[in-house]
């Protein structure tokens, strides 16, 4: 089975069942199937064929979901990029993966973009004049490229993670069975489409014949609206980064009333969940299953842990659990006793990075773990400078690369200080020439034209020279210590 087939099958079984509820409207499976067919025909008319890439520079809409399905029917891979990304970065991604076409959220955006990439159309323009008859879906294999998720790259360039139909469904099929999902389920769609959490939201819903309820980016961190959405949409499954749940609990009144009557499962991934909040959530929602899922974009979810009553009594940090999705884990010893780098093999491991050699062998996550008494894995930290901001993967080197190209900047180091919702990006820079003024506003504007919003710095510190270790590397620990002292003393 490939990723577009569950929608076709569900449309045949129950065409009137709700498939997608989104800010731009709702689609039944019959309507989603028909709209996907129109997009498939439109893409074929534009010359898109099997193996091509199509960039989706769009928001969380039902039309975007149908366009994904249309791409898959043509045997093309879709490349989702959130609409908040600047045009320059989207064009860089589109050119980097040699996309045949890029689709903007609307005609106004497409016309206004300073665009130097493949043909750029809106969804409406793409459908305008499309053939009435959809060509047969392209033949293909479960090992064909299905989509590319671009993440932050340590060299300063976004990095495209290439995933196949098999990669996605290895996880999705496991999740549907593990959670017991069926046609009556109503899944949240909190994550943006370029974030791997969305793979569960969309394809677990379609695989089960259930519905997915998409949350707009404007609402994604609006706590009161999120709580109302959860209750009004009668969601049965919630999946998000812990930051969103934390905000809903602290400022949205999530736990002030009785548990949402329809909710039976709450999933979280992407970052640690503070133990006191997990305990409060579990105690207030005793009938709701809680799962801590782990996995980088290159593997999607490869370990799973279901929170127990003992965890709630103990109040300590949660493990990331054991292997799931048919994957196998290898523990590579580090130079610290009892700590291991986690390596993953199995059906969910990516095809490779776009433009590089295909991946082979176990994937080295760069995450360091330790093994608990019951065989569960516990996350310790990273072996490199990759960090998480509200679950979004950020390579500090990419931000530093952008800042270093500013004409007023000599060198740059970027640090993350704080956790969860309090995490902030601090830039430490030297001026290009002594006395050259460097402003936070100027660097924010420079970054906003080249990076997604979650990678734009929060605070600026201008110094004469960067602190370095004995071997000449940037001494981030010392810089963080000084900055923390400044913050506390201010």
């Amino acid at each position: 089975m490939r990723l577009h087939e569950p929608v076709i099958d569900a449309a045949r079984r129950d065409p009137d069942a709700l498939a997608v509820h989104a800010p731009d409207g709702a689609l039944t499976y019959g309507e989603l199937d028909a709209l996907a067919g129109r997009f498939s025909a439109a893409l074929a008319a534009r010359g898109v064929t099997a193996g091509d890439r199509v960039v989706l520079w769009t928001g969380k809409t039902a039309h975007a979901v149908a366009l994904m399905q249309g791409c898959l029917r043509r045997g093309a891979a879709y490349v989702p990029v959130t609409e908040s990304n600047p045009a320059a970065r989207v064009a860089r991604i589109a050119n980097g993966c040699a996309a045949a076409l890029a689709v903007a959220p609307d005609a106004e955006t497409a016309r206004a973009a300073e665009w130097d990439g493949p043909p750029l159309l809106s969804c409406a323009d793409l459908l305008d004049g499309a053939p009435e008859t959809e060509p047969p879906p392209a033949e293909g294999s479960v090992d064909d490229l299905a989509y590319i998720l671009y993440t932050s790259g340590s060299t300063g360039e976004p990095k495209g993670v290439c995933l196949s139909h098999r990669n996605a469904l290895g996880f999705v099929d496991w999740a549907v069975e593990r959670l017991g999902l069926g046609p009556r389920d109503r899944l949240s769609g909190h994550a943006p489409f370029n974030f791997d959490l969305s793979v569960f939201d969309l394809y677990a819903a379609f695989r089960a014949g259930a519905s997915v309820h998409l949350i707009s980016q404007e609402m994604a961190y609006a706590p009161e609206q999120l709580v109302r959405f959860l209750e009004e949409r009668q969601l049965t499954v919630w999946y998000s980064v812990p930051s969103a749940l934390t905000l809903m609990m602290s400022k949205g009144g999530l736990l002030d009333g009785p548990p949402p009557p329809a909710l039976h499962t709450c999933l979280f991934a992407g970052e640690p969940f503070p133990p006191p909040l997990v305990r409060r959530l579990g105690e207030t929602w005793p009938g709701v299953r809680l799962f801590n899922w782990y996995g980088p974009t290159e593997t999607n979810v490869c370990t799973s842990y279901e929170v127990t009553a003992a965890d709630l009594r103990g109040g300590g940090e949660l493990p990331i659990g054991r292997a799931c999705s048919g994957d196998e884990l290898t523990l590579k010893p580090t130079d610290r006793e009892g700590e291991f780098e986690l390596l993953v093999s199995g059906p969910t491991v990516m095809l490779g990075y776009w433009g590089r050699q295909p991946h082979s062998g176990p994937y080295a996550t760069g995450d360091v773990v330790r093994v608990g008494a019951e065989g569960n894995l516990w996350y310790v930290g990273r072996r490199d400078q990759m960090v998480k901001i509200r679950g979004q993967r950020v390579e500090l080197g990419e931000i530093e690369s952008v800042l270093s190209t500013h004409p007023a900047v000599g060198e740059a180091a970027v640090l993350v200080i704080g956790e969860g919702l309090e995490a902030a990006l601090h830039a430490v820079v030297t001026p290009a020439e002594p006395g050259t003024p460097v402003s936070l506003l100027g660097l924010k504007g420079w970054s906003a034209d080249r990076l997604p919003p979650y990678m734009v710095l929060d605070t600026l510190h201008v110094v004469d020279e960067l602190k370095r270790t004995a071997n000449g590397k940037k001494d981030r620990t010392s810089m963080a210590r000084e900055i923390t002292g400044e913050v506390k003393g201010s």
Side-chain angles (χ1 to χ4, degrees), residues 344-432:
V344 184
S345 306
T348 72
V349 175
M350 66 172 179
L351 299 174
Y353 297 112
W354 179 262
R356 304 185 191 179
Q357 292 295 316
H359 179 77
S360 62
Y363 172 71
T365 65
D367 287 330
V368 178
V369 300
R370 58 182 174 84
V371 185
E374 298 181 356
N376 286 309
L377 298 181
W378 299 73
Y379 179 81
V380 175
R382 291 287 303 173
R383 299 196 69 183
D384 56 23
Q385 297 302 322
M386 192 272 284
V387 298
K388 293 287 187 75
I389 302 292
R390 289 183 176 176
Q392 296 276 14
R393 191 161 85 179
V394 174
E395 290 280 3
L396 299 179
E398 182 173 359
I399 305 175
E400 291 172 353
S401 177
V402 167
L403 295 178
S404 296
T405 61
H406 190 284
V409 173
E411 291 186 292
V414 178
L415 320 169
V416 174
I417 296 179
E419 298 179 350
L421 293 172
E422 304 302 320
L425 287 168
H426 291 252
V428 182
V429 306
T430 63

Side-chain angles (χ1 to χ4, degrees), residues 406-470:
H406 190 284
V409 173
E411 291 186 292
V414 178
L415 320 169
V416 174
I417 296 179
E419 298 179 350
L421 293 172
E422 304 302 320
L425 287 168
H426 291 252
V428 182
V429 306
T430 63
E433 299 290 342
T436 301
V438 186
S439 73
L440 175 60
L441 186 60
L443 291 187
K444 276 179 171 286
W446 182 266
S447 300
D449 288 339
R450 295 161 175 82
L451 296 169
Y454 61 86
M455 291 173 65
V456 175
L457 68 153
D458 299 295
T459 305
L460 174 66
H461 309 267
V462 181
V463 297
D464 293 332
E465 59 181 334
L466 299 183
K467 290 188 174 296
R468 298 191 179 277
T469 63

Side-chain angles (χ1 to χ4, degrees), residues 1-2 140-146 164-167 169 351:
M1 175 169 283
R2 290 176 291 164
S141 161
V142 293
D143 292 312
D144 290 341
L145 177 64
S164 69
H165 298 261
R166 186 192 301 274
N167 293 154
L169 286 171
L351 299 174

Side-chain angles (χ1 to χ4, degrees), residues 40-65:
S40 174
L43 291 167
R46 294 278 179 175
V48 174
T49 61
D52 283 343
R53 280 75 55 203
V54 178
V55 169
L56 277 58
W57 183 22
T58 65
K60 306 276 288 298
T61 67
H63 274 69
V65 175

Side-chain angles (χ1 to χ4, degrees), residues 39-180:
F39 275 121
S40 174
L43 291 167
R46 294 278 179 175
V48 174
T49 61
D52 283 343
R53 280 75 55 203
V54 178
V55 169
L56 277 58
W57 183 22
T58 65
K60 306 276 288 298
T61 67
H63 274 69
V65 175
L67 178 52
M68 293 176 189
Q69 291 287 304
C71 290
L72 295 171
R73 293 184 186 195
R74 294 271 42 80
Y78 66 86
V79 186
V81 184
T82 55
E83 60 183 335
S84 58
N85 274 264
R89 189 173 196 266
V90 182
R92 195 157 77 245
I93 289 172
N95 291 329
C97 69
L101 188 69
V103 182
D106 52 58
E108 182 178 349
T109 300
R111 286 193 299 267
E114 295 183 4
W115 187 253
D116 182 21
L120 177 64
L121 303 170
S122 69
C123 282
D125 289 338
L126 179 60
L127 290 175
D128 187 32
E132 293 293 330
T133 304
E134 176 192 0
E139 296 184 1
S141 161
V142 293
D143 292 312
D144 290 341
L145 177 64
Y147 55 93
I148 304 175
L149 300 182
Y150 270 83
T151 69
S152 182
S154 59
T155 63
E157 283 296 316
K159 185 166 56 177
V161 181
C162 299
L163 289 310
S164 69
H165 298 261
R166 186 192 301 274
N167 293 154
L169 286 171
F171 158 58
V172 166
D173 286 346
W174 169 84
V176 169
E177 181 179 358
R178 181 73 177 87
L179 303 180

Side-chain angles (χ1 to χ4, degrees), residues 18-36:
L18 179 64
V20 181
H21 181 280
D24 63 331
L27 295 174
T28 65
Y29 272 100
E31 292 167 338
L32 177 58
D33 179 48
L35 185 54

